[in-house]
Amino acid sequence: MKIIETKDYADMSRKAANIIAAQIITKPECVLGLATGSSPIGTYDNLVAMYENGDLDFSEITTVNLDEYKGLTRDNDQSYYYFMHEHLFDRVNIDSERTNVPNGMEADAEKECKRYEEFIKSLGGVDLQLLGLGHNGHIGFNEPAPVFEKETHCVNLTESTIEANKRFFASADDVPRQAYTMGIGTIMRAKKILLVASGEDKADIVAKAFFGEVTPDVPASILQMHPDVTVVADAAALSKIPR
Ligand code: GLP
């Protein structure tokens, strides 16, 4: 695992965007795994700026998103479909036919999860997977659990995740209770992983996930076993790692 310390959120966002840009430049037809949350927004802004400067071409890439709330329509401004269009897809020359987010409106969880998992396999896997990190160590929506869930599945969100994400909704009652997410196996099969983390409130979980025991209680801890992970995090988020 490579850890790149940055000054602050802006510096983290620039460095993460540069890593993604290098992937797109060296393999224009690559498959990018994408994430939502506040952590990658600056990364997307930097990618958009590179596109606007004529430095980056998204026309051949395919994207697969990590997760989606179950039961939110695409036009709901809290759906991850909406988020991705707002922060990236509608701002660059990506082929929208080649952007993929789990279908939160498919009521049959088993059917949707199987479809999404097989679809990712049919693409030949993910070249570079971007991740954020939840305060309880979740990646995608893989919540702390007794075992690592391997494939795309439907999760019941934990109270702490509902609490953390309620800031985006009118109230905690409006936060969906379930989501579809790539599994830990789906994520671990990505050839490269790039995780972004920022802020003091992530310091405890960053230390625990990357320097603690590998356990499904801290889902991100499994990344210690992946051969090609880069963590780009600011000084505040790295303030509690052992030196
Ligand atoms: C959400 C998403 C995750 C994200 C995490 C952290 O619940 N499902 O993919 O990484 O929360 O979000 P943030 O970056 O806003 O702290």
Side-chain angles (χ1 to χ4, degrees):
M1 177 173 292
K2 216 177 297 153
I3 297 190
I4 298 176
E5 180 168 334
T6 70
K7 272 201 308 279
D8 51 21
Y9 181 85
D11 189 19
M12 174 196 83
S13 302
R14 274 193 308 274
K15 290 195 164 75
N18 278 326
I19 292 170
I20 297 172
Q23 172 67 62
I24 298 173
I25 291 166
T26 52
K27 188 177 177 190
E29 73 292 0
C30 65
V31 178
L32 290 183
L34 298 177
T36 55
S38 47
S39 308
I41 291 178
T43 305
Y44 294 144
D45 288 341
N46 277 275
L47 289 172
V48 170
M50 290 180 206
Y51 163 72
E52 286 171 349
N53 289 339
D55 290 332
L56 214 47
D57 175 14
F58 290 81
S59 64
E60 289 179 59
I61 71 164
T62 297
T63 66
V64 282
N65 260 79
L66 280 169
D67 49 9
E68 178 61 287
Y69 287 115
K70 184 165 181 246
L72 292 193
T73 54
R74 289 174 160 190
D75 60 357
N76 184 309
D77 64 3
Q78 291 312 321
S79 76
Y80 288 166
Y81 178 94
Y82 190 100
F83 175 104
M84 288 311 304
H85 280 265
E86 185 183 17
H87 292 288
L88 185 67
F89 300 159
D90 293 348
R91 302 166 72 197
V92 296
N93 67 333
I94 202 165
D95 176 354
S96 64
E97 297 279 306
R98 286 212 284 259
T99 65
N100 302 278
V101 180
N103 178 8
M105 289 310 286
E106 172 56 67
D108 185 339
E110 204 178 312
K111 181 176 160 206
E112 176 56 13
C113 294
K114 194 161 179 270
R115 179 196 72 80
Y116 203 65
E117 189 69 33
E118 279 170 9
F119 174 71
I120 296 170
K121 286 196 179 123
S122 77
L123 294 174
V126 173
D127 289 297
L128 175 65
Q129 176 67 56
L130 176 62
L131 296 175
L133 178 65
H135 290 101
N136 60 4
H138 74 229
I139 45 177
F141 266 134
N142 289 277
E143 298 279 33
V147 291
F148 290 112
E149 284 267 8
K150 291 198 188 73
E151 313 278 301
T152 302
H153 59 288
C154 180
V155 281
N156 295 321
L157 302 180
T158 62
E159 277 311 313
S160 77
T161 298
I162 292 166
E163 199 48 36
N165 288 356
K166 75 170 187 203
R167 61 199 152 123
F168 301 115
F169 292 83
S171 75
D173 287 344
D174 295 316
V175 185
R177 267 36 192 177
Q178 289 187 309
Y180 295 143
T181 181
M182 284 186 196
I184 292 294
T186 330
I187 294 170
M188 288 294 278
R189 280 191 289 276
K191 295 179 189 98
K192 284 183 226 147
I193 292 179
L194 168 63
L195 184 140
V196 286
S198 162
E200 214 186 321
D201 58 315
K202 293 283 170 77
D204 283 321
I205 195 62
V206 164
K208 208 169 159 189
F210 306 131
F211 295 88
E213 188 199 344
V214 175
T215 163
D217 268 342
V218 183
S221 65
I222 193 76
L223 299 175
Q224 295 181 42
M225 318 292 284
H226 190 285
D228 194 348
V229 177
T230 303
V231 174
V232 180
D234 61 17
L238 294 174
S239 58
K240 294 190 177 164
I241 66 168
R243 301 284 179 173

